[in-house]
Amino acid sequence: MSLNYVIDLLNKFFDTGGAPLIVALFFWFRFHTLKGTRSFTTWPLFAFGVAVFITPFMLLYWLLAHKLWPLAAVWLTILTWLIPVVPALWRGFCHQLAGIPASAHGLRDALAKSPFDVRPDDMPSLQRKLARVGYQIDDFRAVQSTAIQSRLLKISALMLHLDRWAGERFMKRNSEIYAELLAAYDALCFRTVRVLRSSAEIYGAIMEDNEIEPDNWEALDSLSTRHSTVSQLQLAAQTAAGCMLEDLRKDMDSLLSNLLLFVVRAALAGEWTLARSKRRLGAIGFTLASSSPGFLKFVAGVAAFAFCWALLWLVFSGRFIHQPGDQSVASLRALVVTTLYPVVNFPLIYHFKQRYAFANENIFGRLPMGFILSIGLAGVIFIFLPVQVLFDLYQFPKEPSSEVVLYDLPLLIFPWGFAAMTALLVQDSTWGRRSRQTRQVRDGLVFGGGMVVMLVLLMVTYQVVPMPVMKLVDGMSASMFFSSMVVPSFLFGFIIGYLMIGRLREAAARSPVWKPDLVTPSLAGA
C-alpha cells in the first residue's frame, strides 16, 4: 500500500466525514459538565444520553449542509450553543435520561442502606492498616464504641480496596480526589484513637472513683441522679465524652458518604453494566439486593419490536403498495420513524411522570390534561420534526423542498398522538381496580383504536392537503387499504398497549425520593 493511496483515503474520509466529526466532537465536550461525567452512570446509559444529545445538532448540520458550504454549516451548528437557556435545558434533560448523576447517587444510597461484612481475607490487612495508628480491633469495647468501630472498619475496608484499584484509569484520572480522601482517612484514624482513649480514661476514672465494676453502664448512668458537686462534675465529664464520640460519628458519616460515592464511581467506570458494577461492590463486602431489569432494557425491547414490526410490514406490503419518491429512503423512513415512537416518547413520559407532580392526577383524581396534550410536542419539535424534514428532502429530491416539508406536517399527528395516548394510559388510576388482564386488554384496545383514529384523521386531511408521503394510498382499493393500513395500525397499537403500557405504568409509579447531595464539590468531582 503506497503512501499516496493512504493519503487519498484520508482525504476522502475528511471530505465526507470531517465536518460531521467536528460537530460531534464539539457537542461531545459540551455534554461533559462534571469531572469524570462518564463515571456517574453505566456505559449503555451514557452512550444513550450522548446519542440523544448530539442527534438534533447533527440533523441540523445535515440540513444546513444542503444549503451552505460545509464549513459554514459547521460554524452555524456550533453557534446554536450560544442560544440562551434551550441548549442547557436539553443537555440537562439528556443527563437525566442517562442517569447523570442520579445513577451514582442512587447506588451510593443503596450501599449506605445495605449490610456490610468485612471479608475474612481482608481482616489481616485491616489489622495491619489500623495497627500503624495504634488501633487494635479488639480494643475499646468497654467505651460503648460499637458504632464507631463498625464505621471505622467499613471506611478502612473501602480504603483498602481503593488502594488495590490504584492502577486503574479512573483512579489515575481522579488521583487528586483520592489523595483528599486518603488524607481525611489518615486524620480520622488518629482522631478516632485519641477520642476513644480519652473517653476510656474519663469513664474509667468515674467508675473507679465510684467503685463501679467495669462495663456496668447502668450503674454509671445512675450517677446522673445524684445532686452532689462531685456527681455533677462527673456528669459533665461524661457528657463531654459523649459529645466527643457523637462528633466523631458525624465526621465518620460525612467521610463515608464521600467515600461511598467515590467507590461507586470507580465501580461504574470500571465495568460496562450495572450488574457487573454491583458484583464488584459485593466483592468488597456489601450485600446488594437483586434489582429488576432496568428501564433502558425495557425501552430497547419495545424499540426492537417496533423495528421488526415495520420491517415485516415493508416485506409483506411491498408487493401491493408502491411508495412515492425514492423507494430506499421511504423504506428507511418507515423503519426509523416507527422505531422512534417508543424510543422518544416512553423515556420522556417516564421521566416526567415519575419526577414531577404536574404529570400525575391531582388530589381530586382529575387527569393532568395539560401534560397529556402537550408532552408529545417536545418530541415532535426536537426529534420528529427534524427527522421528518430530513427524510422529506431525501425522499422527494426533485420536488420543491418547502412545499414537501409544509404539506407533510400533518404526519406529525402520529408521534403526538402516540405520546398523548401513552401519557393518558400511564396514569396510576387508569381502569381503577380491574384485574391485570382486563387492564391490559383495555390498554390494547385504546391504543389500537387511537392509531386507527389518527390514520382516519390523516386520510381526511389528505383530501384537503396534498401530502407527498400519502400518495401511496392513491389508487388503492378499500379492501387493500383496510388490510394493509388499518389492520396493521390497529394490531401495532394493540400489542404496544397490551404488552407494554402496563409495565410502563408500573415503572413510572415507583417514585424515588431524591435526596440532597451530602458531598463536597471537590470530592464529588464537580
Side-chain angles (χ1 to χ4, degrees):
M1 183 181 296
S2 63
L3 181 61
N4 290 333
Y5 179 74
V6 175
I7 293 175
D8 289 339
L9 286 179
L10 292 175
N11 288 334
K12 291 179 180 179
F13 170 76
F14 285 107
D15 285 342
T16 57
L21 181 62
I22 292 174
V23 173
L25 286 176
F26 175 81
F27 288 102
W28 163 277
F29 289 116
R30 293 297 93 196
F31 186 79
H32 293 71
T33 57
L34 302 170
K35 182 180 179 181
T37 303
R38 154 66 192 93
S39 63
F40 285 94
T41 187
T42 60
W43 261 112
L45 276 176
F46 179 77
F48 176 72
V50 170
V52 173
F53 175 69
I54 293 179
T55 296
F57 300 104
M58 295 299 296
L59 291 174
L60 176 61
Y61 163 75
W62 280 323
L63 291 175
L64 294 175
H66 286 283
K67 306 295 183 182
L68 304 172
W69 291 99
L71 185 59
V74 169
W75 276 109
L76 283 177
T77 306
I78 291 176
L79 289 175
T80 58
W81 188 254
L82 299 179
I83 298 175
V85 181
V86 176
L89 289 177
W90 174 245
R91 179 176 59 189
F93 173 72
C94 293
H95 276 185
Q96 292 179 334
L97 285 181
I100 300 172
S103 294
H105 290 170
L107 188 53
R108 177 197 63 186
D109 295 340
L111 290 184
K113 299 174 183 177
S114 64
F116 178 82
D117 295 314
V118 178
R119 301 297 183 187
D121 296 340
D122 295 337
M123 189 58 71
S125 300
L126 286 179
Q127 289 176 338
R128 290 192 298 269
K129 193 178 187 69
L130 294 174
R132 67 184 180 86
V133 296
Y135 184 92
Q136 300 297 326
I137 294 178
D138 294 331
D139 288 349
F140 308 115
R141 291 191 180 274
V143 197
Q144 294 179 325
S145 58
T146 303
I148 301 297
Q149 186 182 43
S150 63
R151 285 171 170 78
L152 183 60
L153 288 178
K154 190 174 185 178
I155 293 173
S156 300
L158 294 176
M159 295 302 300
L160 177 65
H161 283 272
L162 284 178
D163 185 56
R164 294 172 179 174
W165 299 349
E168 296 183 2
R169 182 182 179 185
F170 172 82
M171 298 297 294
K172 293 179 180 178
R173 292 173 63 92
N174 295 273
S175 58
E176 295 180 0
I177 301 177
Y178 177 61
E180 290 182 25
L181 290 171
L182 191 59
Y185 169 71
D186 289 338
L188 185 68
C189 287
F190 287 105
R191 183 185 170 194
T192 300
V193 174
R194 185 171 63 252
V195 169
L196 292 180
R197 285 180 175 171
S198 300
S199 300
E201 292 176 359
I202 292 173
Y203 286 125
I206 295 174
M207 290 178 177
E208 182 179 357
D209 186 61
N210 291 274
E211 298 180 353
I212 297 175
E213 294 294 330
D215 298 337
N216 190 352
W217 299 102
E218 293 181 0
L220 182 63
D221 292 337
S222 67
L223 297 177
S224 61
T225 61
R226 300 180 184 179
H227 299 287
S228 64
T229 304
V230 174
S231 297
Q232 294 302 313
L233 290 175
Q234 291 174 347
L235 177 60
Q238 186 178 348
T239 303
C243 290
M244 287 192 298
L245 290 173
E246 181 63 18
D247 291 341
L248 178 61
R249 184 194 61 79
K250 291 179 180 179
D251 291 341
M252 283 184 166
D253 287 341
S254 178
L255 176 60
L256 185 59
S257 178
N258 295 327
L259 190 55
L260 285 175
L261 180 60
F262 191 75
V263 169
V264 164
R265 291 179 58 198
L268 290 173
E271 303 293 343
W272 280 81
T273 63
L274 181 61
R276 292 174 62 91
S277 300
K278 286 185 175 180
R279 284 198 294 269
R280 188 174 190 184
L281 294 171
I284 298 177
F286 292 99
T287 304
L288 291 169
S290 58
S291 58
S292 58
F295 183 73
L296 183 60
K297 291 183 179 180
F298 168 69
V299 174
V302 179
F305 163 75
F307 180 85
C308 294
W309 184 271
L311 185 62
L312 290 174
W313 181 80
L314 289 172
V315 171
F316 287 104
S317 66
R319 294 172 293 179
F320 313 106
I321 299 177
H322 178 74
Q323 300 198 48
D326 190 299
Q327 294 288 307
S328 59
V329 175
S331 300
L332 181 62
R333 178 179 193 154
L335 291 172
V336 172
V337 174
T338 305
T339 305
L340 282 178
Y341 286 161
V343 168
V344 173
N345 290 315
F346 275 21
L348 190 67
I349 293 169
Y350 171 83
H351 169 75
F352 281 95
K353 174 69 171 58
Q354 192 182 58
R355 290 169 173 80
Y356 298 100
F358 67 83
N360 299 273
E361 301 99 327
N362 60 23
I363 59 176
F364 302 106
R366 296 176 183 173
L367 293 174
M369 296 307 299
F371 167 72
I372 294 171
L373 296 177
S374 63
I375 186 61
L377 297 178
V380 166
I381 294 173
F382 292 105
I383 303 294
F384 289 101
L385 179 59
V387 170
Q388 179 169 298
V389 170
L390 182 65
F391 278 115
D392 283 339
L393 296 177
Y394 278 99
Q395 187 174 350
F396 306 100
K398 297 181 180 179
E399 299 185 20
S401 57
S402 58
E403 293 184 3
V404 172
V405 171
L406 182 63
Y407 289 153
D408 274 344
L409 286 179
L411 291 172
L412 295 174
I413 190 177
F414 273 102
W416 173 83
F418 193 100
M421 288 188 296
T422 304
L424 172 65
L425 293 174
V426 298
Q427 298 303 314
D428 298 337
S429 62
T430 303
W431 313 131
R433 297 187 177 182
R434 303 298 194 280
S435 66
R436 183 180 183 88
Q437 186 172 6
T438 301
R439 293 197 302 268
Q440 286 181 308
V441 172
R442 292 188 177 187
D443 288 337
L445 291 175
V446 170
F447 220 100
M451 296 295 292
V452 174
V453 169
M454 288 188 291
L455 180 62
V456 172
L457 290 176
L458 202 61
M459 290 301 300
V460 172
T461 307
Y462 182 52
Q463 307 306 314
V464 180
V465 180
M467 292 177 283
V469 172
M470 293 304 294
K471 291 180 180 179
L472 61 89
V473 301
D474 290 348
M476 188 182 296
S477 63
S479 59
M480 180 62 64
F481 176 77
F482 183 80
S483 61
S484 61
M485 299 293 290
V486 177
V487 172
S489 297
F490 176 80
L491 290 179
F492 175 74
F494 182 83
I495 295 174
I496 290 285
Y498 185 84
L499 295 179
M500 300 158 190
I501 292 298
R503 294 180 59 187
L504 179 63
R505 181 165 54 235
E506 292 172 1
R510 306 187 192 105
S511 300
V513 178
W514 300 102
K515 298 181 179 180
D517 296 341
L518 301 176
V519 293
T520 60
S522 62
L523 293 179

